[in-house]
């Protein structure tokens, strides 16, 4: 009997299949899966298909209704062939399937055509059309003959067996021939679990969140008692029982809710909110979080930011439960907006717009936070969609968008330079706001804005489609808000010169020449400034003057830039005298303002007023110096307060009137409101303040310097308060020095923009004075250009010490940025830069600061400066290694690429100078190197070298050895060895280099390297112990024992370390210098202890540690 999976369903199952499709909703995919399952259910008992005289092993075959197939009966069946009809009706009987070899190909094709015409097989509708895989599954002609007639037709459902999904272009392949043979993969592959006749249901996704907790019996009893007490009004018992219930089952929300309700009724809203917030985490209910957010907003006396953060947390929890919660996401976007988190606002708005139509409150937020061109375009496109939706479905009375939204929309369009669209949409939306949406004929008029005239005459009545009286006058120009009209004028200005007249017509509604207290200029001063700046930018200076004058009459705090803009407009229209008078009026009440004086001095020089220009130059320089000190003092005070919050005023700093005036805003004035019209233009200024009596500038700094010296001499710098006072005064004085551009070639050394502006003013005034002196044909020298012998009565040496001491104190406080800024300002100053001793002093201080800050890069750079400044001197070269040895960090910059290249350039320069000209040409010196190292005046030997410098060669060898380039390091060690063969340090480095080379994995001749190293170490030992100095002998013993230890020869290393310990007492006796002598006893004891401990002699190791290694 054939396996059940081979059996073909009879035709009458079509109705059952359709019923199953309706029930399951999966297009009868199970039936398709069963067809694919046949290969897994293959029974090897039926594996012989006979086709004529040949026999092939093949897989199972699905017989169609009219396939010419016969069945060879088994021994239990009758002899002879079984007809095809019997095969169709009795598929449950076993037998071997084979094709009739007597049927030709033409007959098979004819039978297939007749069958397709006479019968319609019942297959699902989705699979009636063969797919690409089905249509290409027939294969070659040979395969068709072997597989029989049924294979030539398209498969009823699914893809062809043997063809993977997505491989429809490929043929049948060769794997079909393995079906039923011993090589068939189906024999060894375990079939998947299939359940025939059982309906498969779709998997229901499990709910997220905590599982519901079943309350215990004790919890239920406690809650019942609590509810009874609540009904009785006994809130204290309810409070206690509710807390007890929470302890029993904290996952149950009802206990938290009851506790919150009781606390609220007891007049404890904050505690009630806390209980509700804690309980909200136990239940996935968005409404609970909404309640918490609402009650948080109702809390009084709470910081607004704390409230917003709490609400933000609640709405985030709602979104954790349901990402599509519209209200929570919208409220979260509003909170982000209030907290100025623009990036979060953009993200939330985009998510909302992705799933919901553009609501007005969403597009408002998006328009306000848009900054880039792409974001601005996105904003106005969304707002355009929102306005269009509102205009189509809602009337003006029920609209959710108003004139303020139109302003935002127009601003976005103008930022994106969509001025024609902005003008068109302004008219369309305003027309809808005013109830005239049907009058679309106004859109055809683009040359002017007569639609928004205040009256019908004379321009509006010229339009044929316009019907006077059809709409009230308030629906035209009279109903257009002033803000929208001004915006329309600004858009007209942006459209080009031919629209300027129409723009000015709109601006006149601001009534700039009116002096009435109710004039629009009194309430719309912001529009006045925008209009004035736009007119000035379009070179309409005459019109801009009117609006600038009206703006200066407005009751607002005036900026000095407005006066400058007005004066520039005066000059553009030829009123130069009026422009200078405008600035003088401002200076009269702002005596400390410097920028106005700079501009006025420039104009006086251009207009031929040298006397007034000279006075202004002197005032600018005086004010600039005073302003520099004031700003420096303010920065110092802020830094001191930052370091010590309890410091309100550092004691001992002589604060003068300059410091008191630091908080005054000299750049702005408050205008007085004028009720009467002036004759020409009347600007309101505040009354003058009485001039304060201040100390002189020099006395101020000298007093501060004396205070510094008093603190230093008293020895109080170790106390934190005294050190803070010293740092504050030093910062004020150093900042004052850095403010003087005369001390620097390319400007002052400031990080503050205001101080940069001050220095720029001084520089411009000095250049202006120089030009005026050339015009007067005098040879007088500008006194500001000459360098005085001191500054404010303080010598240059004192200033240098002040900078260095200040940098060192900052380095001790680990303030690296401020420390390096002070040192950079010192070395850049022309006062110190030209003095050799000053520069050496500063760089020594810089080196000390780098060591204090553990800054290896700075230490290496400063050490390289000494090598460049004092080339081929042993002290400068040794300094590079010494300072790096003092650092406690890993050597990164010591052997870095820049350091190696720098030292190599020094060696090349030395070789270039010492080589003969003929010999030099045989080496590969590049043209750039020849220009760099060559010096015709000194015969290419500018430093007067006579022989190789072994110190420099040893330094480069050390740099290579540290990086592991031992073979390269040997070259430079041997070059130094040829110059000084009896130098113990050179011999030691050579020996250690050979020893380390032997330890490398790819050492070519390890034995040779070790022998060479030991020979050189022995030579080093002889050289170092020749004088029989205790400290030298101990050094030699320790280094030789260390080499034995490295090589694992502990029986030789132990005696060496013991000799080091024995020499320690002799070293102490022979040493006559200050401090402690260099003693290798501790290092030797540590190494000896390790050897003994590793060998198992813990008692001796402990004894050595207790004797030599205990502090």
């Amino acid at each position: 009997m054939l396996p059940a999976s081979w059996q073909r369903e009879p035709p009458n199952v079509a109705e059952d299949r359709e019923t199953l499709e309706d029930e399951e909703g999966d297009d009868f995919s199970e039936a398709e899966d069963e067809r694919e399952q046949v290969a897994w259910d293959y029974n090897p008992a039926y594996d012989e298909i006979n086709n004529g005289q040949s026999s092939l092993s093949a897989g199972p075959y699905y017989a169609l209704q009219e396939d010419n197939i016969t069945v060879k009966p088994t021994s239990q069946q009758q002899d002879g062939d079984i007809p095809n009809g019997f095969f169709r009706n009795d598929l449950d009987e076993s037998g071997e399937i084979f094709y009739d070899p007597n049927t030709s190909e033409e007959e098979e094709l004819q039978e297939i055509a007749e069958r397709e015409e006479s019968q319609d097989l019942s297959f699902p509708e989705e699979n009636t059309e063969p797919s690409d895989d089905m249509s290409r599954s027939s294969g070659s002609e040979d395969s068709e003959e072997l597989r029989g007639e049924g294979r030539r037709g398209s498969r009823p459902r699914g893809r062809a067996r043997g063809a993977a999904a997505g491989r429809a272009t490929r043929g049948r392949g060769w794997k079909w021939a393995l079906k039923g043979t011993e090589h068939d993969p189906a024999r060894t592959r375990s079939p998947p679990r299939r359940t025939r006749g059982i309906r498969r249901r779709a998997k229901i996704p499990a709910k997220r969140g905590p599982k519901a907790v079943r309350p215990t019996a004790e919890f239920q009893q406690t809650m019942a008692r609590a509810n009874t007490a609540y009904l009785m009004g006994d809130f204290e018992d309810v409070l206690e029982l509710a807390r007890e219930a929470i302890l029993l089952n904290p996952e149950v929300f009802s206990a938290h809710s009851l506790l919150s309700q009781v606390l609220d009724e007891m007049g404890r809203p904050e505690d009630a909110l806390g209980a509700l917030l804690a309980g909200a985490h136990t239940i996935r209910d968005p409404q609970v979080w909404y309640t918490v957010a609402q009650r948080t907003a109702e809390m009084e006396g709470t910081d607004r930011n704390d409230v917003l953060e709490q609400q933000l947390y609640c709405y985030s929890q709602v979104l954790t439960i349901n990402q599509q919660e519209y209200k929570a996401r919208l409220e979260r976007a509003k909170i982000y907006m209030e907290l100025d988190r623009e990036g979060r606002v953009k993200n939330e708005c985009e998510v909302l717009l992705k799933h919901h139509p553009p609501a007005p409150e969403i597009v408002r937020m998006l328009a306000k936070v848009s900054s880039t061109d792409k974001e601005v375009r996105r904003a106005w496109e969304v707002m355009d969609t929102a306005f269009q939706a509102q205009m189509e479905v809602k009337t003006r009375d029920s609209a959710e968008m108003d004139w303020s939204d139109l302003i935002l929309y127009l601003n976005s369009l103008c930022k994106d330079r969509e001025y024609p669209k902005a003008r068109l949409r302004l008219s369309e939306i305003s027309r809808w706001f005013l109830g005239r949406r049907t009058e679309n004929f106004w859109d055809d008029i683009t040359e002017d804005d007569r639609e928004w005239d205040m009256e019908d005459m004379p321009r509006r009545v010229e339009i044929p489609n316009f019907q006077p009286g059809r709409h009230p006058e308030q629906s035209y120009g009279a109903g257009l808000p002033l803000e929208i009209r001004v915006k329309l004028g600004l858009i007209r200005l942006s459209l080009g010169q031919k629209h300027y007249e129409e723009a000015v017509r709109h601006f006149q509604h601001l009534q700039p020449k009116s002096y009435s207290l109710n004039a629009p200029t009194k309430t719309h001063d912001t529009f006045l400034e925008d209009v004035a700046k736009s007119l000035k930018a379009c070179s309409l200076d005459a019109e801009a003057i009117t609006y600038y004058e009206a703006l200066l009459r407005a009751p607002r705090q005036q900026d000095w830039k407005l006066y400058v803009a007005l004066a520039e407009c005066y000059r553009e229209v030829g009123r130069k005298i009026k422009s200078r008078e405008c600035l003088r009026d401002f200076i009269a009440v702002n005596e400390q303002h410097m920028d106005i004086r700079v501009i006025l001095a420039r104009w006086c020089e251009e207009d031929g007023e040298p006397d007034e220009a000279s006075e202004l130059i002197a005032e600018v320089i005086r004010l600039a110096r005073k302003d520099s000190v004031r700003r420096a003092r303010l920065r110092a005070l802020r830094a001191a307060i930052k370091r010590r919050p309890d410091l309100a005023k550092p004691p001992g700093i002589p604060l003068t009137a300059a410091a008191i005036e630091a908080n005054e805003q000299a750049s702005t004035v408050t205008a007085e409101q004028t009720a009467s019209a002036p004759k020409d233009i009347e600007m309101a200024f505040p009354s003058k303040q009485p001039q304060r009596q201040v100390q002189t500038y020099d006395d101020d700094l000298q007093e501060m310097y004396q205070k510094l010296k008093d603190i230093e001499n008293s020895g109080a710098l170790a106390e934190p308060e005294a050190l803070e006072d010293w740092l504050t005064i030093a910062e004020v004085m150093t900042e004052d020095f850095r403010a003087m551009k005369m001390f620097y070639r390319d400007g002052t050394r400031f990080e503050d923009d205001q101080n940069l502006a001050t220095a720029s003013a001084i520089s411009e005034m000095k250049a202006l004075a120089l030009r005026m002196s050339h015009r007067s044909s005098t040879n007088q020298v500008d006194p500001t250009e000459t360098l005085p012998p001191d500054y404010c009565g303080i010598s240059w040496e004192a200033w240098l010490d002040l900078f260095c001491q200040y940098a060192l104190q900052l380095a001790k406080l680990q303030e690296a940025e401020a420390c390096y800024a002070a040192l950079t300002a010192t070395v850049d100053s022309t006062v110190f830069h030209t003095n050799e001793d000053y520069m050496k002093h500063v760089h020594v201080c810089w080196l000390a600061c780098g060591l204090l800050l553990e800054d290896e890069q700075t230490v290496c750079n400063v050490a390289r400066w000494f090598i460049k400044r004092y080339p081929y001197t042993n002290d400068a070269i040794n300094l590079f290694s010494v300072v790096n040895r003092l650092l406690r960090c890993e050597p990164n910059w010591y052997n870095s690429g820049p350091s190696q290249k720098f030292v190599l350039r020094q060696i090349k320069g030395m070789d270039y100078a010492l080589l003969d000209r003929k010999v030099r040409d045989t080496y590969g010196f590049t043209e750039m190197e020849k220009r760099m190292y060559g010096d015709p005046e000194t015969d290419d030997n500018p430093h007067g070298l006579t022989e190789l410098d072994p110190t420099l060669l040893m330094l480069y060898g050390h740099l290579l050895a540290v990086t592991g380039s031992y073979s390269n390091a040997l070259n430079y060690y041997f070059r130094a060895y040829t110059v000084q063969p009896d130098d113990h340090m050179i011999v030691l480095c050579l020996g250690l280099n050979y020893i380390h080379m032997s330890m490398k994995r790819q050492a070519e001749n390890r034995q040779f390297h070790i022998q060479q190293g030991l020979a050189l170490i022995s030579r080093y030992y002889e050289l170092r112990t020749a004088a029989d100095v205790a400290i030298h002998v101990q050094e030699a013993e320790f280094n030789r024992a260390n080499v034995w230890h490295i090589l694992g020869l502990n029986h030789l290393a132990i005696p060496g370390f013991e000799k080091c310990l024995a020499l320690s007492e002799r070293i102490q006796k022979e040493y006559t210098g200050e401090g402690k002598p260099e003693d290798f006893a501790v290092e030797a004891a540590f190494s000896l202890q390790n050897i003994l401990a590793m060998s198992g002699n813990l008692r001796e190791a402990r004894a050595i540690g207790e004797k030599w290694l205990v502090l």
Side-chain angles (χ1 to χ4, degrees):
M1 186 174 182
L2 292 174
S5 58
W6 286 25
Q7 298 181 12
R8 189 177 187 277
E9 295 177 343
N12 59 0
V13 302
E15 297 180 359
D16 298 336
R17 183 185 299 113
E18 293 178 358
T19 304
L20 185 58
E21 287 178 8
D22 295 337
E23 292 178 356
E24 292 293 325
D26 58 355
D27 298 334
F28 201 59
S29 59
E30 184 176 352
E32 289 188 46
D33 294 338
E34 290 177 356
R35 297 305 187 200
E36 298 291 343
Q37 180 66 17
V38 173
W40 299 102
D41 295 336
Y42 173 70
N43 191 339
Y46 311 99
D47 59 351
E48 195 171 292
I49 298 178
N50 297 317
N51 188 358
Q53 298 179 355
S54 61
S55 177
L56 296 177
S57 298
Y61 168 72
Y62 293 142
L64 300 179
Q65 293 182 3
E66 300 298 333
D67 282 349
N68 191 0
I69 297 175
T70 60
V71 178
K72 183 178 180 179
T74 58
S75 58
Q76 289 81 4
Q77 297 176 338
Q78 59 183 356
D79 297 335
D81 295 339
I82 302 175
N84 193 23
F86 179 82
F87 173 76
R88 293 198 306 269
N89 297 329
D90 300 283
L91 284 176
D92 55 343
E93 298 184 9
S94 60
E96 295 185 0
I97 304 174
F98 66 95
Y99 299 108
D100 187 356
N102 299 322
T103 303
S104 64
E105 182 177 358
E106 291 76 7
E107 293 175 349
E108 291 178 359
L109 293 176
Q110 183 178 0
E111 290 177 3
I112 293 174
E114 292 176 357
R115 181 172 66 248
E116 291 178 351
E117 292 178 359
S118 60
Q119 284 185 328
D120 183 17
L121 300 179
S122 299
F123 297 119
E125 295 181 1
E126 290 78 7
N127 296 326
T128 55
E129 296 182 5
S131 64
D132 294 339
D133 291 343
M134 301 174 189
S135 63
R136 287 188 289 266
S137 62
S138 59
S140 62
E141 295 180 359
D142 296 337
S143 63
E144 290 174 358
E145 293 177 1
L146 293 174
R147 300 182 64 173
E149 173 193 353
R151 288 300 181 184
R152 278 192 205 97
S154 60
R155 289 180 53 79
R157 63 176 64 87
R159 65 176 184 273
R161 291 192 309 276
R167 300 182 182 178
T169 58
R170 297 180 58 181
R172 184 181 178 191
W174 51 269
K175 294 184 179 180
W176 63 272
L178 301 179
K179 295 291 186 179
T181 67
E182 63 182 7
H183 305 289
D184 185 4
R187 293 178 177 270
T188 58
R189 192 182 303 141
S190 59
R193 294 184 59 187
R194 306 293 296 178
T195 306
R196 187 175 181 83
I198 299 179
R199 293 170 54 186
R200 296 180 298 172
R201 299 184 180 273
K203 293 183 179 180
I204 302 176
K207 294 184 178 180
R208 298 176 58 188
K211 297 181 179 179
V213 179
R214 191 171 191 177
T216 62
E218 186 179 0
F219 172 84
Q220 295 176 355
Q221 295 175 3
T222 305
M223 286 298 297
R225 292 163 53 197
N227 291 329
T228 303
Y230 180 78
L231 295 175
M232 299 296 295
D234 192 355
F235 292 154
E236 293 294 339
D237 290 346
V238 176
L239 192 63
E240 183 177 355
L241 292 172
R243 289 173 176 170
E244 183 179 349
I246 292 174
L247 291 176
L248 293 174
N249 279 98
E251 304 89 350
V252 181
F253 174 72
S254 57
H256 296 276
S257 177
L258 179 60
L259 178 61
S260 175
Q261 185 175 357
V262 170
L263 290 171
D264 192 29
E265 294 188 13
M266 294 176 65
R268 298 165 60 181
E270 295 183 1
D271 296 336
L273 180 60
L276 187 60
L277 177 63
H281 294 84
T282 65
I283 183 172
R284 295 180 59 82
D285 187 358
Q287 192 59 41
V288 176
W289 288 108
Y290 283 127
T291 304
V292 175
Q294 180 181 0
R295 294 181 63 176
T296 302
E298 297 172 355
M299 295 297 297
E300 298 180 355
T302 308
D303 184 69
R304 180 60 180 168
N305 288 335
D306 295 340
V307 172
L308 293 176
E309 291 292 345
Q310 183 67 42
Q311 288 183 297
L312 191 63
Y313 177 77
C314 295
Y315 295 130
S316 299
Q317 291 296 320
V318 175
L319 292 175
T320 302
I321 300 172
N322 182 11
Q323 290 286 339
Q324 306 300 327
E325 193 71 25
Y326 175 82
K327 179 182 177 181
R329 194 170 294 279
L330 179 61
E331 293 298 329
R332 192 165 73 166
K334 292 179 180 178
I335 294 175
Y336 283 142
M337 190 73 183
E338 189 171 351
L339 293 174
D340 294 331
R341 301 178 186 176
E342 296 183 357
R344 297 291 183 88
V345 176
K346 296 173 188 175
N347 295 338
E348 296 294 345
C349 291
E350 291 296 339
V351 174
L352 288 170
L353 292 173
K354 184 178 180 180
H355 301 284
H356 303 278
E361 46 195 351
I362 300 176
V363 298
R364 289 189 197 110
M365 291 187 291
L366 187 62
K368 290 178 181 178
V369 299
S370 299
S371 55
T372 64
D373 294 341
K374 184 177 180 180
E375 293 172 352
V376 169
R377 173 168 288 273
R378 167 67 173 161
W380 71 254
E381 288 176 350
V382 172
M383 292 202 75
D384 187 81
T385 305
F387 268 115
Q388 196 64 31
Q390 293 275 319
M391 293 168 63
E392 290 178 357
V393 301
K394 295 188 178 182
T395 62
R396 172 65 188 93
D397 297 335
S398 61
E400 300 178 11
M401 306 182 78
D402 53 18
W403 294 105
S404 62
D405 298 319
L406 179 57
I407 290 290
L408 287 175
Y409 178 41
L410 296 176
N411 288 338
S412 299
L413 284 170
C414 292
K415 287 181 181 178
D416 202 26
R417 297 178 179 84
E418 294 285 344
Y419 302 115
K421 183 177 181 63
R423 186 203 62 79
L424 179 62
R425 294 297 287 165
L426 184 149
S427 299
E428 291 178 352
I429 297 174
S430 299
R431 202 178 301 133
W432 171 61
F433 278 147
L434 297 174
R436 295 187 296 106
R437 188 188 177 193
T438 57
E439 293 189 354
N440 296 329
F441 58 87
W442 294 108
D443 296 338
D444 300 331
I445 304 173
T446 59
E447 63 274 5
D448 57 40
D449 298 319
R450 65 182 66 193
E451 175 188 4
W452 305 110
D453 289 349
M454 299 299 292
E455 298 177 355
D456 296 341
M457 299 293 291
R459 300 197 302 174
R460 199 154 50 219
V461 295
E462 296 177 357
I463 304 302
N465 294 332
F466 173 67
Q467 299 179 7
R470 181 180 178 183
H471 297 284
E473 292 185 358
Q474 291 296 326
S475 62
Y476 291 95
L480 190 68
L482 185 59
E483 296 89 338
I484 304 298
R485 185 178 292 278
V486 172
K487 197 65 182 179
L488 181 58
L490 295 174
I491 293 172
R492 283 288 179 183
L493 276 182
S494 303
L495 287 174
Q497 186 174 0
K498 65 178 183 179
H499 299 274
Y500 285 173
E501 182 179 356
E502 193 67 23
V504 173
R505 183 188 293 269
H506 288 298
F507 296 151
Q508 289 176 352
H509 288 270
L510 289 171
Q511 303 176 17
K513 296 183 179 180
S514 175
Y515 297 95
S516 172
L517 294 177
N518 298 324
T521 55
K522 306 297 181 182
T523 56
H524 297 80
D525 53 338
T526 304
F527 301 144
L528 283 173
E529 186 173 359
D530 294 339
V531 170
K533 290 181 178 179
S534 299
L535 290 171
K536 186 175 182 295
C538 294
S539 300
L540 300 176
D541 298 286
E543 291 79 4
I545 288 174
T546 304
Y547 293 93
Y548 273 122
E549 292 175 349
L551 184 61
L552 295 179
R553 294 195 302 268
R556 54 171 286 175
Q557 190 177 24
Q558 304 295 354
D559 188 359
W560 66 275
K561 295 181 181 179
L562 296 178
Y563 290 89
V564 174
L566 176 58
E568 290 174 348
C569 291
Y570 282 141
R571 295 182 70 82
E572 291 294 331
V573 298
R575 302 170 64 181
K576 295 184 178 180
I577 298 177
K578 186 66 177 178
S579 66
R580 296 199 302 272
E581 290 179 356
C582 178
L583 297 186
R584 289 194 195 101
D585 292 338
F586 184 85
I587 292 174
V589 293
N590 293 272
E591 297 180 354
Q592 303 299 323
H593 202 279
M594 186 170 52
D595 297 321
I596 288 286
R597 285 180 170 82
V598 172
I599 297 173
L600 183 56
R602 190 191 311 130
W603 288 353
C604 289
E605 189 253 346
E606 294 176 359
D607 298 342
E609 298 289 341
D611 295 337
E612 184 176 358
S614 299
E615 294 178 1
L616 291 168
I617 290 172
E619 292 179 4
V620 167
I621 294 177
R622 176 181 58 82
L623 290 174
R625 296 183 66 194
K626 183 178 179 180
D627 184 68
S628 300
V629 176
R630 181 188 65 183
R631 296 185 191 281
R633 182 181 288 109
L634 283 179
R635 282 195 302 275
L637 294 178
R638 286 196 294 266
I641 294 174
K642 183 178 180 180
R643 288 191 292 262
R644 288 174 51 194
D646 58 330
L647 182 66
K649 172 182 176 296
I653 299 181
L655 297 180
T656 62
I660 299 174
E661 293 172 357
N663 294 325
E664 298 179 359
Q665 299 294 331
S667 60
T668 56
V669 296
T670 304
E672 297 179 352
Q673 182 176 347
T674 56
S676 58
K679 296 179 180 180
D680 187 5
I681 173 174
E682 204 171 276
M683 305 177 192
F685 296 98
S687 59
K688 292 185 178 182
Q689 299 294 330
Q691 185 71 22
R692 294 185 177 93
Q693 298 295 329
V694 299
Q695 302 176 14
T696 63
Y697 179 73
D698 294 352
D699 292 341
D700 194 2
L701 285 181
Q702 289 177 5
E703 187 177 353
M704 296 167 68
Y705 180 71
Q706 187 59 42
K707 181 63 178 177
L708 282 179
K709 302 306 293 183
D710 292 342
I711 296 176
E712 293 176 3
N713 296 332
S714 63
L717 281 177
E719 300 177 2
E721 294 184 358
L723 177 61
E724 195 65 48
D725 297 344
W726 190 94
L727 288 173
T728 304
I729 301 173
E731 185 174 0
V732 173
M733 295 185 66
T734 54
E735 290 290 348
D736 170 74
F737 187 94
R738 294 162 63 183
M740 296 297 103
K741 189 175 182 179
M742 68 180 69
F743 298 156
Y744 298 91
R745 293 180 180 178
D746 54 349
T748 59
R749 293 298 180 267
F750 275 115
E751 300 175 0
D752 190 351
D753 294 339
Q754 295 176 336
N755 287 321
L756 286 174
T758 301
S760 177
I762 297 176
S763 177
E764 184 175 356
M765 291 299 97
K766 287 162 59 179
L768 182 58
L770 183 61
R771 290 198 304 268
M772 293 176 61
S773 64
H774 288 327
R775 291 179 183 177
S776 60
S777 300
T778 61
N779 295 325
Q780 297 177 357
V781 180
D782 187 1
T784 60
E785 295 293 338
T786 60
L787 188 64
D790 55 27
Y791 179 56
C792 297
I794 304 174
S795 64
W796 300 126
E797 291 80 2
W799 280 107
L800 180 63
D801 290 337
L802 174 61
F803 271 97
C804 292
Q805 288 290 338
Y806 178 58
L808 285 171
Q809 295 296 339
L810 291 175
K812 292 177 182 179
L813 296 175
Q814 298 300 308
E815 297 185 12
E817 185 177 358
C819 171
Y820 292 154
L823 291 171
T824 303
T826 308
V827 298
D828 288 348
S829 173
T830 56
V831 177
F832 309 118
H833 189 74
T834 56
N835 191 299
E836 186 72 19
D837 294 335
Y838 289 167
M839 292 298 292
K840 183 166 59 175
H841 187 84
V842 173
H843 280 85
V844 170
C845 176
W846 207 327
L847 203 58
C849 292
L851 292 173
L852 289 171
L853 295 169
E854 292 290 332
D855 188 353
E856 185 186 6
Q857 181 180 2
T858 299
V859 168
C860 290
N861 291 337
V862 177
R864 286 165 55 180
W865 179 89
F866 281 98
I867 296 177
K868 289 188 293 185
R869 182 58 68 95
Y870 308 101
Y872 306 107
T873 57
N874 291 341
D875 292 339
I877 297 172
N878 289 330
L879 181 65
F880 186 86
S881 297
V882 169
V883 294
N884 279 277
R885 180 66 180 85
L886 295 175
L887 290 170
R888 292 174 292 180
C889 55
E890 290 293 328
N892 295 319
W893 280 90
Y894 171 73
N895 57 346
S896 63
S899 297
Q900 292 187 16
K901 292 178 182 178
F902 172 77
V903 179
L904 184 59
R905 285 196 298 268
Q906 303 297 317
I907 295 176
K908 284 185 177 181
M910 178 178 62
D911 293 340
Y912 191 86
L914 294 176
L915 289 173
D916 185 74
R917 287 182 179 272
K918 295 181 180 180
V919 179
R920 187 186 301 157
D921 294 337
T922 61
Y923 290 88
F925 289 102
T926 63
E927 292 297 329
M928 180 179 296
E929 290 175 342
K930 292 178 181 180
R931 291 193 299 269
M932 183 187 303
Y933 307 134
D935 185 10
E937 296 181 358
T938 60
D939 194 17
D940 295 332
N941 192 357
H943 305 291
L945 300 177
T946 58
E947 62 177 359
L948 294 174
D949 187 354
T951 308
L952 183 61
L953 295 171
M954 289 293 294
L955 175 60
Y956 192 62
H958 295 336
L959 298 181
L960 294 174
V962 171
T963 59
S965 301
Y966 302 115
S967 59
N968 295 329
L970 281 176
N971 297 329
Y972 296 92
Y973 284 151
F974 274 119
R975 291 187 65 185
Y977 181 78
T978 58
V979 179
Q980 295 181 356
D982 294 333
D983 188 285
H984 65 277
M985 181 56 66
I986 298 176
V987 177
L988 174 64
C989 292
L990 279 170
L992 292 177
N993 204 70
Y994 273 113
I995 295 297
H996 288 300
M997 284 181 64
S998 68
M999 299 299 173
K1000 296 186 69 173
R1001 182 175 60 87
Q1002 296 180 346
E1004 295 181 357
N1005 194 336
R1006 202 180 308 274
Q1007 179 68 19
F1008 169 76
H1009 292 156
I1010 293 176
Q1011 289 179 345
Q1012 284 289 98
L1014 291 178
L1016 289 167
I1017 292 298
S1018 298
R1019 175 59 179 164
Y1020 156 75
Y1021 184 84
E1022 294 175 0
L1023 293 173
R1024 197 56 171 162
T1025 58
D1028 195 24
V1029 178
I1031 191 171
H1032 295 168
V1033 175
Q1034 187 193 41
E1035 175 195 322
E1037 292 287 353
F1038 177 77
N1039 287 330
R1040 188 171 65 168
N1042 243 339
V1043 172
W1044 299 129
H1045 194 186
I1046 292 173
L1047 296 175
L1049 303 176
N1050 294 337
H1051 66 287
L1052 298 177
I1054 292 175
F1057 289 133
E1058 290 177 345
K1059 290 179 181 180
C1060 291
L1061 299 179
L1063 287 170
S1064 178
E1065 184 177 355
R1066 178 184 168 188
I1067 291 173
Q1068 301 297 331
K1069 293 179 180 180
E1070 291 183 0
Y1071 183 71
T1072 58
E1074 297 180 358
K1076 294 182 179 180
E1078 186 178 12
D1079 191 353
F1080 291 92
V1082 175
E1083 290 81 358
F1086 182 75
S1087 299
L1088 186 58
Q1089 184 188 50
N1090 286 337
I1091 295 174
L1092 295 174
M1094 294 298 294
S1095 63
N1097 194 350
L1098 298 179
R1099 180 177 300 177
E1100 289 294 332
R1102 179 182 179 88
I1104 290 177
E1106 292 176 350
K1107 181 178 180 180
W1108 296 97
L1109 302 179
V1110 176
L1111 299 178

